[in-house]
Amino acid sequence: RATPHRIAYGVATGVYRPESVSAVTFTVRAAAEMRERLAQLGAPTVQARTFHSAALSQLRYFWPKMYGSDVPKIMQSKFAFVSEAARRMGVHTDRAVIRDLAAEVEWAKVSQLPGSEYAAKAPGRGRQVAELDASTTASVLLEYEDIKRERGFIDMEDILLINAAILADEPRAAAEVRQNYRHFVVDEFQDVNPAQATLLELWLGGREEICVVGDPRQTIYSFAGASVRILENFTRQYENAQRIELVRNYRSTPQIVDAANRVFPSGASTSLGVRLISQNEPGPAINYKEFPFEEAEAAGVARAIAEANARGIAYRDMAVLYRINAQSEHFEEALGELGIPYVLRGGEGFFNRAEV
């Protein structure tokens, strides 16, 4: 809410020209929501995009001008390329390790750690893929890049990195971007990674027309290269920045907000965290239960759902939240065993996948 209202106020008061504002967020869904809200607030022409969408738009504009051809093909999945790279390097791995290697490719690239430096620096940053040593992982990362070049593909991280390289090396391209976009507003800034931060600095070009919204205690993409330090260092990088705390929580009951506050006691984690205050009426207490392993957890959750349904709570009024799509398998199996109907949101059901 804060981000679109701030932009709309700037447009309404004449501080912003709507076509010179770039609002950046992290997911396609969030960007669409922001565009919808901006339209309702009288600022329908403001650009609201993800980092990747904004970078890809610029890449498609500048690449033909500089190289006389279309942008290379963008791969939809790294899995096949990483799998081939592992085979070429004599690394025999299962599907889970290939998935982890693909994630490591993404982490290394957005962390701006090239494959040639991975073996020397990654262990010091606590990185390891399964039982592979750093040199082996580095060899797979380097081979992956070679295969990608051979086939004429780029990946999602390349969109950010190539765009940044163009703006850093081509003053005319940088000047054109900076002329078009004067004001930047970034949502969920705690999840910015070094590659995105570099690109944002190039978009700004030393200017200070930037507003970011973020909560260091909501950083959820550190495993993928996001660094909360980028948010924590913001007021040092931009010494004139005002810091405004948004402490009112309108979504959750006091019980939930109190639990969230207690997860981060005073002085822990980061100096930037705020103590939230719920604006809602009190609700039921939170129940905690521990399980020894994932299958037991899923079975326990399924039983709790069945018991709640027997008490008259409709299935449609209950939800199971999990961290990543790979975790859905155990919950789907446990729900199926008890004959509980479910709808999976935002991903493909485990039992609907082609390989299953």
mmCIF file of all heavy atoms in Angstrom, residues 99 294 322-332 348 350 353:
data_model
loop_
_atom_site.group_PDB
_atom_site.id
_atom_site.type_symbol
_atom_site.label_atom_id
_atom_site.label_comp_id
_atom_site.label_asym_id
_atom_site.label_seq_id
_atom_site.Cartn_x
_atom_site.Cartn_y
_atom_site.Cartn_z
ATOM 1 N N ARG A 99 19.313 -30.282 -9.194
ATOM 2 C CA ARG A 99 18.499 -29.129 -8.786
ATOM 3 C C ARG A 99 19.321 -28.184 -7.917
ATOM 4 O O ARG A 99 19.280 -26.964 -8.088
ATOM 5 C CB ARG A 99 17.271 -29.618 -8.029
ATOM 6 C CG ARG A 99 16.320 -28.511 -7.571
ATOM 7 C CD ARG A 99 15.302 -29.070 -6.594
ATOM 8 N NE ARG A 99 15.962 -29.507 -5.362
ATOM 9 C CZ ARG A 99 15.465 -30.417 -4.529
ATOM 10 N NH1 ARG A 99 14.329 -31.006 -4.791
ATOM 11 N NH2 ARG A 99 16.129 -30.742 -3.430
ATOM 12 N N GLU A 294 9.805 -34.894 8.137
ATOM 13 C CA GLU A 294 8.814 -34.246 7.267
ATOM 14 C C GLU A 294 7.542 -35.077 7.100
ATOM 15 O O GLU A 294 6.440 -34.521 7.096
ATOM 16 C CB GLU A 294 9.437 -33.960 5.903
ATOM 17 C CG GLU A 294 10.476 -32.846 5.929
ATOM 18 C CD GLU A 294 10.977 -32.504 4.536
ATOM 19 O OE1 GLU A 294 10.238 -32.767 3.563
ATOM 20 O OE2 GLU A 294 12.088 -31.986 4.433
ATOM 21 N N TYR A 322 3.828 -23.819 2.949
ATOM 22 C CA TYR A 322 5.158 -24.436 3.011
ATOM 23 C C TYR A 322 6.130 -23.578 2.229
ATOM 24 O O TYR A 322 5.735 -22.731 1.414
ATOM 25 C CB TYR A 322 5.145 -25.878 2.500
ATOM 26 C CG TYR A 322 4.409 -26.093 1.200
ATOM 27 C CD1 TYR A 322 5.040 -25.897 -0.016
ATOM 28 C CD2 TYR A 322 3.072 -26.498 1.192
ATOM 29 C CE1 TYR A 322 4.362 -26.093 -1.211
ATOM 30 C CE2 TYR A 322 2.386 -26.708 0.012
ATOM 31 C CZ TYR A 322 3.044 -26.502 -1.193
ATOM 32 O OH TYR A 322 2.372 -26.686 -2.373
ATOM 33 N N ARG A 323 7.421 -23.799 2.468
ATOM 34 C CA ARG A 323 8.446 -22.878 1.992
ATOM 35 C C ARG A 323 8.696 -22.965 0.482
ATOM 36 O O ARG A 323 8.737 -21.961 -0.207
ATOM 37 C CB ARG A 323 9.752 -23.164 2.761
ATOM 38 C CG ARG A 323 10.952 -22.317 2.350
ATOM 39 C CD ARG A 323 10.832 -20.887 2.853
ATOM 40 N NE ARG A 323 11.982 -20.076 2.465
ATOM 41 C CZ ARG A 323 13.072 -19.937 3.198
ATOM 42 N NH1 ARG A 323 13.175 -20.539 4.351
ATOM 43 N NH2 ARG A 323 14.064 -19.178 2.778
ATOM 44 N N ILE A 324 8.893 -24.174 -0.032
ATOM 45 C CA ILE A 324 9.224 -24.341 -1.440
ATOM 46 C C ILE A 324 8.352 -25.432 -2.058
ATOM 47 O O ILE A 324 7.835 -26.304 -1.361
ATOM 48 C CB ILE A 324 10.721 -24.693 -1.649
ATOM 49 C CG1 ILE A 324 11.092 -25.973 -0.900
ATOM 50 C CG2 ILE A 324 11.620 -23.546 -1.219
ATOM 51 C CD1 ILE A 324 12.501 -26.459 -1.138
ATOM 52 N N ASN A 325 8.203 -25.398 -3.384
ATOM 53 C CA ASN A 325 7.318 -26.336 -4.071
ATOM 54 C C ASN A 325 7.694 -27.795 -3.821
ATOM 55 O O ASN A 325 6.833 -28.678 -3.817
ATOM 56 C CB ASN A 325 7.328 -26.056 -5.581
ATOM 57 C CG ASN A 325 6.578 -24.783 -5.922
ATOM 58 O OD1 ASN A 325 5.706 -24.354 -5.173
ATOM 59 N ND2 ASN A 325 6.934 -24.166 -7.038
ATOM 60 N N ALA A 326 8.992 -28.047 -3.613
ATOM 61 C CA ALA A 326 9.433 -29.430 -3.411
ATOM 62 C C ALA A 326 8.823 -30.051 -2.163
ATOM 63 O O ALA A 326 8.778 -31.280 -2.037
ATOM 64 C CB ALA A 326 10.962 -29.470 -3.311
ATOM 65 N N GLN A 327 8.348 -29.228 -1.238
ATOM 66 C CA GLN A 327 7.770 -29.755 0.001
ATOM 67 C C GLN A 327 6.326 -30.223 -0.160
ATOM 68 O O GLN A 327 5.776 -30.820 0.764
ATOM 69 C CB GLN A 327 7.834 -28.687 1.101
ATOM 70 C CG GLN A 327 9.238 -28.390 1.602
ATOM 71 C CD GLN A 327 9.234 -27.299 2.643
ATOM 72 O OE1 GLN A 327 9.101 -26.128 2.339
ATOM 73 N NE2 GLN A 327 9.376 -27.687 3.897
ATOM 74 N N SER A 328 5.729 -29.950 -1.294
ATOM 75 C CA SER A 328 4.307 -30.288 -1.441
ATOM 76 C C SER A 328 4.064 -31.795 -1.431
ATOM 77 O O SER A 328 2.986 -32.253 -1.045
ATOM 78 C CB SER A 328 3.753 -29.685 -2.738
ATOM 79 O OG SER A 328 4.185 -30.422 -3.874
ATOM 80 N N GLU A 329 5.060 -32.581 -1.854
ATOM 81 C CA GLU A 329 4.863 -34.024 -2.020
ATOM 82 C C GLU A 329 4.312 -34.682 -0.754
ATOM 83 O O GLU A 329 3.314 -35.411 -0.800
ATOM 84 C CB GLU A 329 6.186 -34.681 -2.415
ATOM 85 C CG GLU A 329 6.126 -36.188 -2.464
ATOM 86 C CD GLU A 329 7.497 -36.811 -2.688
ATOM 87 O OE1 GLU A 329 8.470 -36.066 -2.927
ATOM 88 O OE2 GLU A 329 7.571 -38.047 -2.612
ATOM 89 N N HIS A 330 4.949 -34.429 0.382
ATOM 90 C CA HIS A 330 4.540 -35.106 1.615
ATOM 91 C C HIS A 330 3.130 -34.680 2.037
ATOM 92 O O HIS A 330 2.339 -35.514 2.510
ATOM 93 C CB HIS A 330 5.534 -34.803 2.732
ATOM 94 C CG HIS A 330 6.919 -35.290 2.453
ATOM 95 N ND1 HIS A 330 7.183 -36.602 2.119
ATOM 96 C CD2 HIS A 330 8.116 -34.654 2.438
ATOM 97 C CE1 HIS A 330 8.483 -36.752 1.918
ATOM 98 N NE2 HIS A 330 9.070 -35.581 2.105
ATOM 99 N N PHE A 331 2.817 -33.391 1.864
ATOM 100 C CA PHE A 331 1.479 -32.934 2.244
ATOM 101 C C PHE A 331 0.422 -33.508 1.317
ATOM 102 O O PHE A 331 -0.657 -33.924 1.760
ATOM 103 C CB PHE A 331 1.423 -31.402 2.244
ATOM 104 C CG PHE A 331 2.229 -30.785 3.343
ATOM 105 C CD1 PHE A 331 3.427 -30.138 3.073
ATOM 106 C CD2 PHE A 331 1.808 -30.836 4.661
ATOM 107 C CE1 PHE A 331 4.176 -29.579 4.087
ATOM 108 C CE2 PHE A 331 2.544 -30.278 5.685
ATOM 109 C CZ PHE A 331 3.738 -29.649 5.398
ATOM 110 N N GLU A 332 0.698 -33.546 0.027
ATOM 111 C CA GLU A 332 -0.257 -34.123 -0.920
ATOM 112 C C GLU A 332 -0.524 -35.589 -0.604
ATOM 113 O O GLU A 332 -1.663 -36.067 -0.653
ATOM 114 C CB GLU A 332 0.272 -33.976 -2.347
ATOM 115 C CG GLU A 332 0.318 -32.541 -2.849
ATOM 116 C CD GLU A 332 0.780 -32.474 -4.291
ATOM 117 O OE1 GLU A 332 0.012 -32.921 -5.162
ATOM 118 O OE2 GLU A 332 1.907 -32.003 -4.544
ATOM 119 N N GLU A 348 2.791 -26.927 -9.673
ATOM 120 C CA GLU A 348 2.219 -28.156 -10.222
ATOM 121 C C GLU A 348 2.199 -29.226 -9.144
ATOM 122 O O GLU A 348 3.196 -29.425 -8.447
ATOM 123 C CB GLU A 348 3.053 -28.633 -11.410
ATOM 124 C CG GLU A 348 2.458 -29.844 -12.115
ATOM 125 C CD GLU A 348 3.309 -30.299 -13.285
ATOM 126 O OE1 GLU A 348 4.504 -29.978 -13.311
ATOM 127 O OE2 GLU A 348 2.751 -30.986 -14.168
ATOM 128 N N PHE A 350 2.519 -32.617 -7.158
ATOM 129 C CA PHE A 350 3.559 -33.644 -7.277
ATOM 130 C C PHE A 350 3.097 -34.810 -8.144
ATOM 131 O O PHE A 350 3.822 -35.294 -9.022
ATOM 132 C CB PHE A 350 3.957 -34.149 -5.883
ATOM 133 C CG PHE A 350 4.954 -35.255 -5.912
ATOM 134 C CD1 PHE A 350 6.302 -34.993 -6.127
ATOM 135 C CD2 PHE A 350 4.569 -36.573 -5.717
ATOM 136 C CE1 PHE A 350 7.236 -36.020 -6.166
ATOM 137 C CE2 PHE A 350 5.493 -37.612 -5.753
ATOM 138 C CZ PHE A 350 6.825 -37.331 -5.971
ATOM 139 N N ARG A 353 3.035 -34.257 -12.042
ATOM 140 C CA ARG A 353 4.272 -34.038 -12.811
ATOM 141 C C ARG A 353 4.525 -35.207 -13.752
ATOM 142 O O ARG A 353 4.300 -36.366 -13.411
ATOM 143 C CB ARG A 353 5.457 -33.854 -11.857
ATOM 144 C CG ARG A 353 5.308 -32.627 -10.969
ATOM 145 C CD ARG A 353 6.390 -32.557 -9.913
ATOM 146 N NE ARG A 353 6.035 -31.578 -8.879
ATOM 147 C CZ ARG A 353 6.664 -31.439 -7.734
ATOM 148 N NH1 ARG A 353 7.702 -32.221 -7.453
ATOM 149 N NH2 ARG A 353 6.282 -30.529 -6.857
#
